[in-house]
Each structure stands twice: as structure tokens, then as C-alpha cells.
């Protein structure tokens, strides 16, 4: 978003002009690749590297989302991945001569399909065929556990992205991923037998991006991919967005935390000079709040910020501690009339503030729910960072405890 001026200084680029520039660049790429995507063929007027590129169509179908783990920040799925690319004449002949005893398998392509954000991945079954006498189709049935960072600031009213980052082990000067051509769908989600009870699937999409791996290596942005295709990898982001069902957690945790905060005012009915009774009452409430915080902690990953529930729990804890200190102050007075007056005014001021706080809290939560809902269907870049980032050690920085002849590595 910084543009370099003739003077050598930098200034913020105009946001609208930036969007127009990006749109124009995308239209150029789309018009250049339109014939390729539909037919698999290229124009002789295109850049030379595009005439030698293999265009691979990608399609994914999710048959089951069996688990979404907030604590592990992971999700487990069963699905089907399909790739298509142009078959050669020799491959078509081999496919025609294939049989169950000698099934068809295409020549090894110059790419290897892979997901970037897997924790566990296993292939259940693979199949190859030629479709419409034109396309090599590689079908992979799989089970995988994927991971990405969950954003739980607004837990339990959050919307989460579950992204499946697919790429091929080659750069865009050799392979470019395009929407699936053998069928009309690129991403399908079967909602019939979903076994996740505490989530609603609200959106899914597929996003094709040219990812700057040159920047990941050097830390400096590369030139556009059409100029340096060897620095970019074609990548597909299959994204599913799920909204957490907050009702159960709100009733089981938030409601009872609210009741604990309300019960705190029961201390006002006790004798102002009964320090032991009041402190015992408050300490029992403190233990209850701590127990709820442990339950909340077991429901969330270790994150460096406080969620909505954490903040509310801390405020309930501070309310109880404040009432404990008030009990010590009024109990210390020997004059019962002064203690009673102080006690009455303390709770007469505190309770209206308590009511106003909860009304404001409800309004605040509603705004946060709207904020989460605005994520649904938003652009991929606005909901997550898609640029790879590495911690690199250059060859010159590598050390050894033995002498390496200079000509061996120069």
C-alpha cells in the first residue's frame, strides 16, 4: 500500500486506485487464461512460458466433517479431490486398451498434489481415467486433519474459517491451477450427514491465488507473476465458514456466571459487622468463579488475548473481591449505625451500576455478533493471511565445525 515517489519518499497509495489496479490486473490474467480454462489450449500470442504450462483443473468434495476442535485448532474431514489435465494421444490409446487386470494410469505428470496445512493425511483410494476422450482425471479419496489459527476473541459467538490450502509441487512457469473443467463444480460440501452438533455451516467458496514464494524466501515482494512465474506457486484455498452454536454454552456457563454475580448482592442482607460470615460467603463465590474459569480454559486454545467470556468472568471476580473489601471496611467500624449506613450506600450505588453494566454488555455482545456475521462470505484476504512467511537462514549464515572446501558450495 506504499508507493514510491520521484523524490524517493513513500506515501500511502489511494485505496480506490489500488482496487482499480488490482481489478485491471485480474481482468488481464482472466482474459489471457479464458481459452485455456475452457479448452486446455493456448494462443500463440501468449507469453512463451504460458504455451508450455500444464493447466490442472481442481475440484474438491467434502463428504463429512467429523470434528471441529477449538482447543486443538483443527478439523477432520473425509472427502474427494479430483484433478484434470489434457491427455496425450498416446495416453488415450492406452486408456482404450486398459482393463480391470491392467488399469489405466497416465504418464507421471510434472507436479505432485499436496495440502499445505495438514496435520494428518491418508489416502483411502486412488483412480485414474480419461473423461470425454480429452481429460486425464485423477481422483483421490482421502481422510485428513487440517489446522489453522482460530480467532476466538468473540467466543462463543464466533465464526471460524476452515481452509484447505491446496497446491502442486511446482511453480507457475510449469503448472497453473484452474477451476475444474470435467464437471461444472469446483467445490462441493455434502451437508446431509454432517456429525458436528455445535456448529452451523454457513458458507463455502474456492479461491485461486498466485502465491509469492520468492517473497517468502527473501522477504521482498517479487515482480508480478506474469513477469517472474518462477517465483510464484498456483494455490487454491477451499474455504468453509462455520458459526458456533452459542446457545448451549451460554446456558451452561454464561447464565450461571451471571447468577453468581447476582448472588453476590445477597451479602447485603447479612449483618454489616459480621465479617466472618460475609467473608465466608464471598470466598465460596470466588471458588465457584475459579471453577468456571477452568471449564472455560478447557474449551479454548492457548491464545495471547482475553475472550468475551474471560473478560466477563474477570469482572464477576472483581465484583466479588470488591464486596469482600467492603465487608472488611464496614466490619472494622465499631459503631454499628455508621457501618449500616456505609453498607446501605455502597450497595445502593453498586446495584444500579451492575444493571447498567449488563445492559451495556448485552448491546456490546450484539455488536460483536454482527461483526462476526460480517465475516461470512467476505474476501479471503480480509479473514486470514495467505502469504507464506519463513524464518530463513542463508547459506552464508550456516555454520559448521569442520572446514568445507570453498569450491564445493560456491
Amino acid at each position: 500500500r506504499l508507493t514510491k515517489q520521484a523524490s524517493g519518499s513513500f506515501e500511502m497509495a489511494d485505496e480506490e486506485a489500488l482496487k482499480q489496479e488490482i481489478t485491471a490486473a485480474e481482468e488481464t490474467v482472466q482474459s489471457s487464461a479464458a481459452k485455456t480454462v475452457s479448452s486446455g489450449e493456448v494462443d500463440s500470442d501468449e507469453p512463451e512460458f504460458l504455451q508450455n504450462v500444464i493447466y490442472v483443473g481442481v475440484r474438491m468434495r467434502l463428504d463429512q466433517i467429523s470434528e471441529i476442535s477449538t482447543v486443538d485448532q483443527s478439523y477432520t474431514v473425509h472427502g474427494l479431490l479430483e484433478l484434470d489435465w489434457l491427455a496425450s494421444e498416446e495416453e488415450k490409446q492406452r486408456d482404450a486398451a486398459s482393463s480391470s487386470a491392467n488399469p489405466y494410469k497416465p504418464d507421471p505428470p510434472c507436479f505432485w498434489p499436496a495440502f499445505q496445512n495438514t496435520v494428518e493425511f491418508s489416502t483411502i483410494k486412488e483412480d485414474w481415467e480419461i473423461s470425454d476422450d480429452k481429460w486425464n482425471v485423477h481422483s483421490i479419496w482421502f481422510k485428513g486433519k487440517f489446522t489453522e489459527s482460530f480467532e476466538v476473541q468473540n467466543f462463543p459467538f464466533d465464526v471460524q474459517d476452515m481452509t484447505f490450502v491446496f497446491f502442486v509441487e511446482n511453480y507457475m512457469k510449469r503448472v497453473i491451477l484452474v477451476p475444474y473443467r470435467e464437471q461444472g463444480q469446483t467445490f462441493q460440501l455434502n451437508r446431509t450427514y454432517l456429525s458436528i452438533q455445535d456448529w452451523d455451516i454457513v458458507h463455502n467458496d474456492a479461491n485461486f491465488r498466485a502465491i509469492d514464494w520468492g517473497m517468502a524466501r527473501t522477504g521482498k515482494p517479487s515482480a508480478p507473476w506474469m513477469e517472474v512465474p518462477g517465483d510464484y506457486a498456483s494455490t487454491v484455498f477451499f474455504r468453509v465458514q462455520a458459526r458456533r452454536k452459542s446457545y448451549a454454552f451460554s446456558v451452561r456457563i454464561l447464565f450461571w456466571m451471571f447468577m453468581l454475580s447476582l448472588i453476590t448482592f445477597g451479602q447485603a442482607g447479612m449483618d454489616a459487622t459480621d465479617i466472618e460470615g460475609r467473608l465466608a460467603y464471598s470466598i465460596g463465590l470466588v471458588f465457584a468463579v475459579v471453577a468456571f474459569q477452568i471449564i472455560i480454559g478447557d474449551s479454548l486454545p492457548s491464545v495471547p488475548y482475553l475472550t468475551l467470556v474471560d473478560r466477563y468472568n474477570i469482572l464477576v471476580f472483581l465484583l466479588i473481591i470488591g464486596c469482600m473489601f467492603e465487608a472488611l471496611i464496614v466490619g472494622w467500624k465499631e459503631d454499628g449505625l455508621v457501618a449500616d449506613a456505609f453498607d446501605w450506600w455502597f450497595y445502593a450505588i453498586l446495584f444500579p451500576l451492575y444493571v447498567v453494566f449488563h445492559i451495556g454488555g448485552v448491546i456490546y455482545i450484539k455488536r460483536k455478533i454482527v461483526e462476526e456475521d460480517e465475516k461470512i462470505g467476505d474476501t479471503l484476504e480480509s479473514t486470514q493471511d495467505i502469504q507464506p512467511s519463513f524464518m530463513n537462514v542463508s547459506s552464508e549464515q550456516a555454520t559448521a565445525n569442520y572446514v568445507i572446501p570453498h569450491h564445493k558450495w560456491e
Side-chain angles (χ1 to χ4, degrees), residues 254-271:
L254 289 179
F255 173 75
W256 290 106
M257 285 172 58
F258 167 73
M259 293 302 295
L260 280 176
S261 68
L262 194 60
I263 291 171
T264 304
F265 290 93
Q267 185 172 292
M270 303 174 68
D271 188 271

Side-chain angles (χ1 to χ4, degrees), residues 115-317:
F115 286 99
Q116 287 187 14
N117 59 327
T118 55
V119 178
E120 300 171 3
F121 189 87
S122 59
T123 300
I124 300 172
K125 176 185 174 183
E126 284 187 90
D127 185 41
W128 291 266
E129 65 174 346
I130 290 184
S131 176
D132 296 336
D133 197 33
K134 183 176 184 178
W135 304 108
N136 271 314
V137 176
H138 183 190
S139 302
I140 306 170
W141 286 263
F142 67 89
K143 176 184 177 182
K145 184 177 182 180
F146 298 77
T147 185
E148 70 174 281
S149 177
F150 280 19
E151 297 177 354
V152 292
Q153 291 94 332
N154 297 326
F155 175 87
F157 309 102
D158 50 320
V159 173
Q160 296 297 340
D161 280 11
M162 296 181 290
T163 311
F164 308 87
V165 185
F166 176 80
F167 76 123
V168 292
E169 293 280 3
N170 218 316
Y171 291 102
M172 294 182 73
K173 64 182 179 180
R174 296 293 304 276
V175 179
I176 293 179
L177 301 178
V178 297
Y180 197 61
R181 296 159 292 191
E182 199 272 331
Q183 292 184 16
Q185 296 86 21
T186 292
F187 187 24
Q188 290 180 308
L189 173 60
N190 186 351
R191 301 177 59 174
T192 309
Y193 304 108
L194 291 181
S195 60
I196 47 176
Q197 300 297 320
D198 50 348
W199 296 86
D200 278 325
I201 304 300
V202 292
H203 180 76
N204 67 311
D205 55 36
N207 303 272
F208 290 75
R209 296 290 187 271
I211 299 301
D212 187 356
W213 284 91
M215 181 177 177
R217 293 192 300 269
T218 64
K220 300 177 181 178
S222 304
W225 75 269
M226 292 285 280
E227 299 178 19
V228 285
D231 281 351
Y232 288 82
S234 189
T235 307
V236 190
F237 296 83
F238 296 103
R239 180 176 63 163
V240 176
Q241 291 183 305
R243 181 196 287 116
R244 192 187 304 273
K245 295 179 181 178
S246 60
Y247 176 78
F249 189 90
S250 298
V251 172
R252 294 170 185 165
I253 304 296
L254 289 179
F255 173 75
W256 290 106
M257 285 172 58
F258 167 73
M259 293 302 295
L260 280 176
S261 68
L262 194 60
I263 291 171
T264 304
F265 290 93
Q267 185 172 292
M270 303 174 68
D271 188 271
T273 58
D274 183 11
I275 299 179
E276 292 183 0
R278 284 191 162 198
L279 289 181
Y281 186 86
S282 296
I283 290 172
L285 294 177
V286 166
F287 283 129
V289 171
V290 171
F292 275 116
Q293 186 59 43
I294 293 173
I295 295 173
I296 294 167
D298 289 341
S299 304
L300 294 170
S302 297
V303 289
Y305 51 80
L306 297 177
T307 68
L308 280 175
V309 182
D310 290 328
R311 281 176 273 175
Y312 183 66
N313 204 27
I314 289 173
L315 288 171
V316 172
F317 182 80

Side-chain angles (χ1 to χ4, degrees), residues 342-359:
F342 185 91
D343 197 50
W344 188 91
W345 280 107
F346 176 81
Y347 285 101
I349 295 172
L350 182 62
F351 188 75
L353 292 176
Y354 172 85
V355 173
V356 171
F357 167 77
H358 278 85
I359 293 174

Side-chain angles (χ1 to χ4, degrees), residues 39-40 54-55 84-97 104-109 129-137:
S39 66
I54 295 179
Y55 291 87
D84 68 26
W85 66 96
L86 281 175
S88 66
E89 290 301 322
E90 192 272 334
E91 288 175 327
K92 294 176 184 178
Q93 294 173 7
R94 275 194 284 134
D95 179 61
Y104 168 72
K105 191 172 183 179
D107 295 328
E129 65 174 346
I130 290 184
S131 176
D132 296 336
D133 197 33
K134 183 176 184 178
W135 304 108
N136 271 314
V137 176

Side-chain angles (χ1 to χ4, degrees), residues 267 275 278-279 282 317-332 342 346-347:
Q267 185 172 292
I275 299 179
R278 284 191 162 198
L279 289 181
S282 296
F317 182 80
L318 292 177
L319 172 66
I320 298 171
I321 296 298
C323 291
M324 288 178 65
F325 276 104
E326 188 271 343
L328 288 172
I329 292 172
V330 298
W332 171 71
F342 185 91
F346 176 81
Y347 285 101

